[in-house]
Amino acid sequence: MVWKISDETAFDTLGEEVRLTINGVPIRAPQNQSLLVTAKANGFEIPTLCYHRDLPSEGQCRLCVVEIGEHPHTQIVNSCTYPTTPGLMVQTHSEKVMQARRIVLELLLARTPKAKLIQELAAAHGVYESRFKTDDPEELCILCGLCVRTCREVVGVSAISMKGRTPDKQVATPFMEKSPACIGCGSCAFVCPTDVIPYTEKNGVRTIWGRDFELQACTVCGNYIEPKYQLEHWAKITGDPVETFFVCKDCR
Amino acid sequence: MPKFESIDHLREYRRQLIAKRDPNQPQVLVCAGPGCLPMGSDEVAAAFREEFEKNGLGAKVLLKECGCHGLCAGAVRVLIRPQEITYQHVTPEDVPEIVEKTLKEGQVVERLVYEDLHTHEKAAHKGEIPFFQGQMPIVLRKLDIIDPTNLDDYLAMGGYRGLRKALMEMKPDDIVDAIDKSGLRGRGGGGFPTGRKWRICQDAMDEPKFIICNGDEGDPGAFMDRAVMEGDPHAVLEGMIIGAFAIGASKGYIYVRHEYPLAVSRLQLAIEQARESGFLGKNILRSGFDFDIKISRGAGAFVCGEETALIHSMEGNIGEPSPRPPYPAQSGLFGKPTVINNVETWANVPEIINLGADWYAGIGTENSKGTKVFSLVGAVNQTGLVEVPMGTTLRQIVYDLGGGIKGDRDFKAVQTGGPSGGCIPAQFLDLPVDYDSLQSVGSIMGSGGMIVMDTTSCMVDVARYFINFLYEESCGKCTPCREGLKNLLFILDEIIHGRGTEEHLALMDELCGTMATASICGLGKSAVNPIFSTMKYFKDEYLAHIRDKKCHALVCRPLLKYTIDPETCTGCLACVRECPVGAISGKKKMAQELDQELCVKCGLCYEACQFEAVKIE
């Protein structure tokens, strides 16, 4: 049994339907579904930063925290990984929860003062200025790890990962060198919520993570499709000849 | 060493082993524990060996290099049996005299024995030394007697008797029941009931199951686990084998820090010996139970002592914790049910099984049973490793065992539980040490670090030291811990540099509140303890730094002012020679002057002055 946390399930197998309450409202949901999905399905909004429906949650951002249990024995947990259990009492907007979210956003606002998404989310929580210290006013990465997870779980090449510890932690290729594993697909840049992963496309060449990828032109219309490397990766996965992918999706 | 084919075989071997050994044979036991080894214990042992050869005593006297003897302040320590005479501060030069006087003539070398600091009474025998009197060694019982590389020594002390009983007389359920009934709680810091953890794993439906021993001891000043792994490795193995049999695991791992090379080699040797003797491998003691143990070395991250991070590290992934549930007992190593316990917890298991749950449950307090090993360090006279029953008061540990504060200064605080523990002030000296009491005053049991501080410690500086440690060790995964610790460190630096405000205190309080609830793992959650406890019990010190810009303990250099008293200064120029920035000037044999503008407050002049003419404000 592999405990995999994805959009639908907190754990690999959903159990029988259980009853729980969210903000006092009785809810029915399958056991082991994540609290975040359960809340959303029932119309309770919970803000998130590092959550993506197609990726396993790892609970980095701590924005989706909720309060569980009965006063005074309550506990703050992150809703993206916490499973539904019978009789669970969940508060999505209690004072404790809101305080934690405000502090998390204030910390992130100090880390990435120019990140639009953080500014907006913070403002929505009444945080317009941070009392904390900004090291690099140009910093945009919130270390949510969506890029790393996408590269590992969706693309399946693990070309990038987290490097180091402390706030100096960063997303990087191994040894900060050009990664032979990278296929240049750009999924990391696509999924990034703060648009911090740079890449360029010029004269049929895509540059990302310090590597140049030659783009394949569509054999019909001549428009660039994707890096050749990526198409070869597709061919390897599907077992089809690589030429299958030399026609863009508009011309197929 | 034979391969034990059956329980009877083991019993017979042990009987013969004990019969063969002469209890009156003179033994010289040199401590080679974490405290004595760097002080040259191997040279002392070599000197003994040489001396025995010279005197033809080689065959008569047994020489052993053992694990930690406990009282590390007296390194290198030597224990002479059967008289139980202990010598301290032994150097190779002392060896001929010990051999001549003690081994040949049976006399005590007075100058090498323990002397009470206050009464100046000498105590030659282990039982007379106050440091050992209040202790109750269970985990440390065999450390100063056995040679950790010799399985026979372990067997002669009753080793693997717990395993024999577990395999022969008990069912897996009975073992878990016994551990549950004994009240044993995790000694790594969390204090989760061990029996309950085993039960969850035993009940898990998935296969295979794993056993892990957490030997990633990383707290500054703590060396309990290291001493046990180096001094009594078979006790850890025996505990793990019993645990594996109870929960139905077929494989075990010991996760040891790379920085503990001796622990790694001792454990490796013990594993090989256990395999040869049939305590590990297929069909252990013909019981039909298979189990083997491997060593996994940690790469030096403090956070890998956290169980989920440790598991990720063992799997070859980045050592970062993950949110629980699922708990390792449900889904741990490679997604399989895993019991992970600390070294000291495992070392307790054989004794509990051997002597019974009731015996163990009879020791300690209502909710904290048994004993706990602490590494008592800091401003006490007698630093070292102590094992006391739960419920012993801090006063007993600091004053009776530790011999009070060095230099007769006043006690200020004791910090328990490693970097993320709290600082407990003098008003709680009579607090019984157990999981709940420590928590009630804002600290934790942790894995057993105990740092005693006197009036020369500045509590703001102490908090900054621990926050800096945790900041550097935070894995950086979750926002509150990663960004929170950075900001705590920044604020504390501001206060230490005299730029702190009272708003800073309020902000720290608010930030700590969120870190304690919203961090993923124990590192971030408990990182607030040093702040909360010092702000609660030593608020006046924070205010002195903020309002008066003064550090009364004279620790925070940016707040100090060095001056030269013209009355006392002899003009010897010792300070002038030391000053790295040329801030001191004046004529020879005349009073010197210190330029405050140039002074970098390094304190070298203060240390150089022999006439106490350099004053600190």
Side-chain angles (χ1 to χ4, degrees):
Chain A
M1 182 167 66
V2 179
W3 298 73
K4 208 157 189 182
I5 301 146
S6 70
D7 182 39
E8 296 307 318
T9 59
F11 304 106
D12 73 331
T13 43
L14 288 181
E16 307 254 305
E17 194 173 76
V18 295
R19 290 156 187 265
L20 63 154
T21 64
I22 299 182
N23 300 344
V25 181
I27 301 282
R28 288 175 193 211
Q31 185 159 7
N32 288 342
Q33 181 171 261
S34 79
L35 290 184
L36 179 66
V37 171
T38 310
K40 282 192 169 180
N42 288 281
F44 300 99
E45 271 311 310
I46 296 176
T48 59
L49 276 171
C50 68
Y51 169 81
H52 192 287
R53 55 169 296 148
D54 296 326
L55 294 171
S57 294
E58 289 181 355
Q60 283 101 332
C61 74
R62 318 306 286 174
L63 198 58
C64 74
V65 288
V66 293
E67 190 170 358
I68 58 165
E70 210 166 341
H71 182 78
H73 302 289
T74 62
Q75 199 189 343
I76 296 281
V77 297
N78 52 326
S79 62
C80 62
T81 63
Y82 203 91
T84 51
T85 48
L88 194 68
M89 297 168 84
V90 185
Q91 292 288 329
T92 61
H93 286 73
S94 67
E95 188 35 53
K96 250 191 197 170
V97 167
M98 296 311 284
Q99 171 66 10
R101 285 184 195 154
R102 279 193 296 266
I103 291 283
V104 164
L105 285 166
E106 200 176 334
L107 286 167
L108 286 174
L109 193 61
R111 179 185 170 86
T112 59
K114 288 192 178 160
K116 276 256 149 45
L117 177 70
I118 302 299
Q119 288 171 356
E120 286 166 14
L121 261 172
H125 284 78
V127 178
Y128 301 97
E129 239 175 89
S130 181
R131 293 166 288 174
F132 299 115
K133 187 176 169 258
T134 298
D135 279 342
D136 175 7
E138 301 303 317
E139 179 63 81
L140 284 172
C141 178
I142 55 167
L143 294 171
C144 67
L146 279 173
C147 50
V148 174
R149 278 178 282 155
T150 301
C151 190
R152 186 180 68 218
E153 305 288 335
V154 178
V155 185
V157 297
S158 294
I160 49 172
S161 71
M162 290 288 180
K163 167 192 159 287
R165 290 200 290 254
T166 73
D168 297 333
K169 188 174 192 141
Q170 60 186 107
V171 177
T173 51
F175 305 106
M176 312 282 279
E177 288 170 2
K178 292 175 183 177
S179 166
C182 180
I183 59 168
C185 68
S187 302
C188 47
F190 174 78
V191 79
C192 178
T194 53
D195 290 329
V196 64
I197 299 176
Y199 76 99
T200 56
E201 269 181 32
K202 223 163 90 184
N203 305 330
V205 175
R206 177 184 293 173
T207 307
I208 189 163
W209 292 113
R211 237 182 103 186
D212 295 336
F213 292 90
E214 194 189 330
L215 292 168
Q216 173 69 44
C218 173
T219 47
V220 180
C221 68
N223 287 340
Y224 291 120
I225 316 171
E226 294 288 350
K228 281 187 173 159
Y229 248 83
Q230 186 183 348
L231 301 181
E232 281 163 18
H233 181 73
W234 285 357
K236 220 186 315 174
I237 294 171
T238 58
D240 293 323
V242 68
E243 293 76 17
T244 324
F245 304 105
F246 286 179
V247 182
C248 76
K249 70 175 195 286
D250 297 333
C251 299
R252 261 180 224 162
Chain B
M1 176 62 55
K3 182 165 180 132
F4 296 110
E5 297 287 343
S6 68
I7 295 300
D8 291 338
H9 186 182
L10 173 62
R11 189 185 290 151
E12 183 55 28
Y13 183 83
R14 195 200 310 275
R15 207 184 54 77
Q16 283 179 9
L17 195 68
I18 295 169
K20 217 166 51 190
R21 293 193 165 191
D22 174 10
N24 294 319
Q25 184 189 16
Q27 294 184 20
V28 174
L29 308 170
V30 181
C31 175
C36 290
L37 199 57
M39 299 296 281
S41 66
D42 44 355
E43 285 154 31
V44 172
F48 269 112
R49 214 166 284 130
E50 202 181 305
E51 202 59 25
F52 290 166
E53 224 156 86
K54 259 193 229 159
N55 292 285
L57 289 169
K60 219 177 124 204
V61 184
L62 194 64
L63 175 72
K64 283 186 207 169
E65 287 176 72
C66 306
C68 185
H69 285 202
L71 186 47
C72 303
V76 173
R77 303 193 68 81
V78 173
L79 175 66
I80 315 272
R81 295 185 85 198
Q83 302 97 312
E84 301 279 333
I85 297 171
T86 62
Y87 290 134
Q88 55 184 19
H89 300 299
V90 178
T91 60
E93 289 75 47
D94 301 323
V95 169
E97 192 181 345
I98 297 175
V99 172
E100 197 55 40
K101 272 199 156 171
T102 310
L103 291 171
K104 283 190 176 166
E105 297 167 18
Q107 290 172 2
V108 173
V109 183
E110 289 291 333
R111 65 181 182 88
L112 292 174
V113 302
Y114 171 87
E115 184 186 318
D116 193 285
L117 272 159
H118 306 288
T119 62
H120 298 286
E121 264 177 52
K122 295 206 169 194
H125 299 96
K126 197 180 157 186
E128 297 160 6
I129 300 175
F131 181 84
F132 296 105
Q133 282 169 346
Q135 294 199 44
M136 187 183 201
I138 295 175
V139 172
L140 303 181
R141 183 174 66 97
K142 303 188 278 307
L143 248 63
D144 58 354
I145 302 172
I146 64 169
D147 173 358
T149 60
N150 188 343
L151 176 55
D152 276 352
D153 267 19
Y154 184 68
L155 291 175
M157 289 286 291
Y160 288 107
R161 215 177 240 162
L163 177 67
R164 182 194 65 87
K165 189 171 169 191
L167 291 179
M168 289 306 115
E169 297 168 20
M170 300 171 91
K171 289 197 188 72
D173 266 339
D174 303 337
I175 298 172
V176 180
D177 280 344
I179 297 296
D180 205 20
K181 236 174 90 188
S182 74
L184 177 66
R185 290 170 69 173
R187 294 289 189 254
F192 191 80
T194 308
R196 205 187 306 164
K197 192 186 265 187
W198 289 19
R199 177 83 65 213
I200 296 169
C201 192
Q202 194 190 31
D203 291 346
M205 301 300 281
D206 210 4
E207 293 274 342
K209 292 173 185 173
F210 295 108
I211 291 273
I212 298 177
C213 169
N214 183 349
D216 192 57
E217 183 177 55
D219 297 355
F223 54 101
M224 304 77 55
D225 294 347
R226 175 179 167 187
V228 174
M229 288 188 286
E230 288 180 1
D232 195 4
H234 280 286
V236 180
L237 300 190
E238 188 181 350
M240 289 177 72
I241 304 167
I242 295 170
F245 178 67
I247 66 149
S250 56
K251 209 157 196 187
Y253 293 89
I254 306 178
Y255 188 91
V256 198
R257 301 179 68 180
H258 185 70
E259 293 90 330
Y260 283 177
L262 187 61
V264 172
S265 65
R266 289 269 164 84
L267 284 165
Q268 190 59 48
L269 179 71
I271 290 171
E272 280 157 25
Q273 288 170 340
R275 275 189 201 136
E276 270 172 41
S277 317
F279 296 122
L280 280 176
K282 294 249 176 266
N283 200 5
I284 293 169
L285 298 177
R286 287 259 175 92
S287 61
F289 166 59
D290 306 335
F291 180 65
D292 207 357
I293 295 176
K294 253 188 169 174
I295 292 177
S296 182
R297 276 189 285 182
F302 176 74
V303 73
C304 287
E306 198 279 341
E307 55 183 15
T308 55
L310 185 150
I311 286 169
H312 290 306
S313 162
M314 280 181 62
E315 289 170 341
N317 296 320
I318 298 175
E320 287 176 352
S322 49
R324 294 169 296 181
Y327 291 91
Q330 304 163 300
S331 169
L333 187 63
F334 305 116
K336 301 295 178 186
T338 305
V339 159
I340 171 162
N341 280 129
N342 159 273
V343 171
E344 195 186 329
T345 317
W346 288 119
N348 267 301
V349 169
E351 299 290 348
I352 294 172
I353 297 300
N354 193 20
L355 297 172
D358 293 331
W359 161 76
Y360 198 80
I363 307 165
T365 60
E366 196 188 342
N367 291 319
S368 305
K369 300 297 185 190
T371 58
K372 177 79 194 82
V373 183
F374 292 102
S375 63
L376 183 62
V377 295
V380 282
N381 284 310
Q382 314 282 4
T383 54
L385 219 51
V386 299
E387 183 170 3
V388 290
M390 295 275 190
T392 306
T393 64
L394 284 168
R395 190 183 297 280
Q396 283 171 302
I397 297 175
V398 173
Y399 285 94
D400 297 349
L401 305 183
I405 307 297
K406 263 184 205 156
D408 280 325
R409 281 191 284 263
D410 282 332
F411 171 92
K412 189 169 201 177
V414 56
Q415 206 253 8
T416 66
S420 42
C423 297
I424 304 171
Q427 68 197 84
F428 296 116
L429 266 175
D430 290 309
L431 188 81
V433 175
D434 63 31
Y435 290 98
D436 309 313
S437 311
L438 288 176
Q439 208 162 7
S440 72
V441 296
S443 189
I444 52 171
M445 177 73 86
S447 60
M450 199 172 264
I451 302 172
V452 181
M453 286 168 274
D454 62 18
T455 42
T456 59
S457 291
C458 162
M459 299 317 283
V460 182
D461 180 67
V462 166
R464 190 205 170 272
Y465 171 81
F466 289 117
I467 292 299
N468 185 46
F469 177 88
L470 294 165
Y471 158 76
E472 285 175 0
E473 293 298 340
S474 165
C475 79
K477 182 171 177 173
C478 69
T479 316
C481 174
R482 179 187 68 225
E483 306 294 331
L485 279 167
K486 184 191 88 173
N487 281 288
L488 286 180
L489 183 62
F490 172 72
I491 295 171
L492 287 170
D493 270 337
E494 292 288 284
I495 295 174
I496 280 171
H497 283 86
R499 298 189 291 261
T501 61
E502 281 173 57
E503 285 80 55
H504 274 140
L505 294 185
L507 185 59
M508 279 212 291
D509 198 55
E510 205 182 324
L511 175 56
C512 287
T514 292
M515 286 172 65
T517 54
S519 298
I520 290 185
C521 78
L523 193 150
K525 282 187 172 143
S526 59
V528 303
N529 287 332
I531 301 277
F532 273 150
S533 61
T534 51
M535 287 219 297
K536 186 168 172 191
Y537 303 124
F538 301 97
K539 185 140 195 190
D540 51 333
E541 289 195 30
Y542 279 93
L543 293 177
H545 282 70
I546 292 171
R547 287 184 191 156
D548 315 333
K549 314 288 177 207
K550 286 225 156 66
C551 173
H552 294 305
L554 306 179
V555 174
C556 301
R557 289 233 163 102
L559 296 183
L560 304 184
K561 189 179 166 196
Y562 290 86
T563 51
I564 296 172
D565 179 13
E567 300 291 312
T568 343
C569 180
T570 62
C572 73
L573 306 188
C575 53
V576 179
R577 283 189 289 275
E578 287 296 325
C579 182
V581 289
I584 307 171
S585 58
K587 285 190 182 132
K588 199 174 177 184
K589 298 202 172 160
M590 301 283 276
Q592 303 293 304
E593 263 185 54
L594 202 161
D595 187 341
Q596 296 298 333
E597 295 276 301
L598 288 175
C599 179
V600 290
K601 297 168 183 176
C602 66
L604 286 172
C605 53
Y606 178 76
E607 284 162 28
C609 184
Q610 291 174 2
F611 306 99
E612 294 187 6
V614 179
K615 306 279 180 209
I616 314 177
E617 286 168 29

